[in-house]
Amino acid sequence: MRVIRVGTRKSQLARIQTDSVVAMLKALYPGLQFEIIAMSTTGDKILDTALSKIGEKSLFTKELEHALEKNEVDLVVHSLKDLPTVLPPGFTIGAICKRENPNDAVVFHPKFVGKTLETLPDKSVVGTSSLRRAAQLKRKFPHLEFKSIRGNLNTRLQKLDELQEFSAIILAAAGLQRMGWQKRVGQILHPEECMYAVGQGALGVEVRAKDKDVLDLVGVLHDPETLLCCIAERAFLRHLEGGCSVPVAVHTAVKDGQLYLTGGVWSLDGSDSMQETMQATIRVPVQHEDGPEDDPQLVGITAQNIPRVAQLAAENLGISLANLLLNKGAKNILDVARQLNDAH
């Protein structure tokens, strides 16, 4: 019986996410065995610095990719938003699973339960390690102060509850859902309040690009709608040359065969911003086999069972939206944000 070795980060959330992917694979392939191998990444080890300051794109992925490269694991499960839009040579995202709620959520300190960001007292401190969240929320809620908070979900909730420093913290709704902590969610931030990160709420399965067996094995996990949304989002981010050191956010929706992509860029303090929406026809396909491609990868993703034409339409949508913003002066906003972030 073949054993498939699955790499994951050590955090409780990473383990839950990996277990969910392995459970789907076990149901599909009862004849295979799966072994989970957990490891720590740079991002798990450096906890005293804001993510945007570490200046490393593959903070939560490098060590896992190293294990893939050395053939110590066969596939790795990530939060898709942790995967850079350009992967190192030799790797590809072989599956993007059905997205959970992609929005951000607010968890309040016990004494502020029942409040919203709007009704928190003046000068209340809100914890977030994301420039994207802070920039959008500073603009929307000028009476609040934002401060970096790092650590895995358990650590951040503990800091919120035990230190009297934060009135609330902002986290991805999907992570709280997967941990079974929905009860702690005091408010869901909708896109008009705070657009989400590229790929947020979706899980990506990274494999060796040349490992056809494993690519075929995981490819059935692709969720067509999530895949096309995430191709558009990743193409947008890649073309803008955004990363976690600049505030870039998105919102995607599929309706009646149309893919709608809204993308925005912000200055660090949220005072300057620009956002636009575009759409493309994709007609969410029933999975089927396309002919072989020379280079099947789009923004680091291989999906051979989803029609190529729909994938290309999604990628072009992301590039077109990025160009629209760049032509309107988004580069200036991003450059200033980058310089300010580097200088602090």
Side-chain angles (χ1 to χ4, degrees):
M1 187 183 271
R2 178 163 181 202
V3 177
I4 303 290
R5 298 152 307 163
V6 182
T8 175
R9 284 167 61 197
K10 278 183 173 165
S11 77
Q12 187 186 352
L13 176 61
R15 291 300 304 260
I16 287 171
Q17 293 180 166
T18 301
D19 288 346
S20 74
V21 171
V22 168
M24 286 190 279
L25 288 170
K26 275 182 174 164
L28 288 162
Y29 306 106
L32 293 179
Q33 269 193 311
F34 294 86
E35 180 192 351
I36 295 174
I37 297 165
M39 51 197 96
S40 290
T41 66
T42 312
D44 296 312
K45 292 171 192 157
I46 307 177
L47 291 176
D48 55 353
T49 312
L51 291 178
S52 57
K53 294 276 186 294
I54 304 172
E56 164 69 73
K57 271 201 176 136
S58 48
L59 276 181
F60 295 110
T61 57
K62 207 191 221 154
E63 284 78 359
L64 297 163
E65 284 172 342
H66 198 52
L68 253 184
E69 192 172 29
K70 295 198 310 207
N71 210 357
E72 291 167 0
V73 296
D74 300 302
L75 55 105
V76 176
V77 178
H78 302 278
S79 292
L80 187 62
K81 68 174 179 174
D82 292 338
L83 278 166
T85 54
V86 179
L87 297 186
F91 302 108
T92 189
I93 299 164
I96 294 179
C97 307
K98 189 170 174 55
R99 190 176 220 168
E100 296 218 19
N101 183 344
N103 295 308
D104 288 316
V106 190
V107 178
F108 292 91
H109 184 282
K111 69 175 181 223
F112 291 120
V113 166
K115 294 261 186 213
T116 63
L117 289 181
E118 209 158 350
T119 58
L120 277 177
D122 270 10
K123 302 262 185 293
S124 291
V125 176
V126 176
T128 172
S129 54
S130 152
L131 296 180
R132 169 190 62 78
R133 290 170 180 150
Q136 292 181 80
L137 295 172
K138 277 175 190 170
R139 185 184 177 97
K140 200 90 182 157
F141 305 104
H143 69 293
L144 302 176
E145 290 179 5
F146 293 86
K147 197 175 162 197
S148 178
I149 183 168
R150 286 286 323 279
N152 61 37
L153 281 189
N154 310 55
T155 313
R156 282 188 247 178
L157 281 176
Q158 201 176 346
K159 283 180 181 175
L160 170 69
D161 292 344
E162 292 176 11
L163 310 173
Q164 298 303 308
E165 192 179 350
F166 300 101
S167 302
I169 58 176
I170 317 287
L171 300 163
L176 289 162
Q177 227 164 311
R178 290 182 187 125
M179 294 283 272
W181 291 343
Q182 293 92 324
K183 281 195 174 71
R184 289 300 309 260
V185 175
Q187 182 180 3
I188 291 283
L189 296 173
H190 296 291
E192 51 281 7
E193 298 165 302
C194 188
M195 291 203 293
Y196 41 83
V198 164
Q200 183 160 311
L203 299 181
V205 182
E206 190 179 17
V207 302
R208 290 179 288 275
K210 290 200 161 51
D211 195 340
K212 187 160 179 350
D213 284 0
V214 176
L215 258 175
D216 289 346
L217 188 83
V218 301
V220 292
L221 297 179
H222 271 304
D223 175 69
E225 184 170 312
T226 303
L227 169 80
L228 295 171
C229 287
C230 291
I231 285 178
E233 292 172 17
R234 285 171 66 83
F236 171 71
L237 183 65
R238 181 197 268 189
H239 204 69
L240 277 180
E241 293 179 0
C244 61
S245 61
V246 287
V248 173
V250 293
H251 167 58
T252 42
V254 174
K255 198 172 175 226
D256 303 329
Q258 295 287 310
L259 173 56
Y260 296 86
L261 171 64
T262 302
V265 300
W266 285 260
S267 58
L268 289 190
D269 64 359
S271 61
D272 207 359
S273 84
M274 192 178 284
Q275 63 187 67
E276 290 289 346
T277 302
M278 288 178 87
Q279 70 193 78
T281 302
I282 42 123
R283 279 191 290 279
V284 168
V286 196
Q287 300 194 1
H288 80 208
E289 291 295 324
D290 261 3
E293 291 286 341
D294 292 339
D295 180 17
Q297 282 205 43
L298 290 184
V299 283
I301 300 162
T302 303
Q304 288 171 318
N305 52 351
I306 309 291
R308 182 83 177 162
V309 58
Q311 294 184 57
L312 288 168
E315 184 188 42
N316 287 333
L317 176 62
I319 294 169
S320 302
L321 186 63
N323 280 331
L324 179 62
L325 288 181
L326 290 168
N327 291 337
K328 289 187 157 198
K331 189 169 176 7
N332 190 38
I333 297 176
L334 292 173
D335 286 347
V336 172
R338 228 176 242 117
Q339 286 157 7
L340 279 175
N341 182 53
D342 292 346
H344 275 300

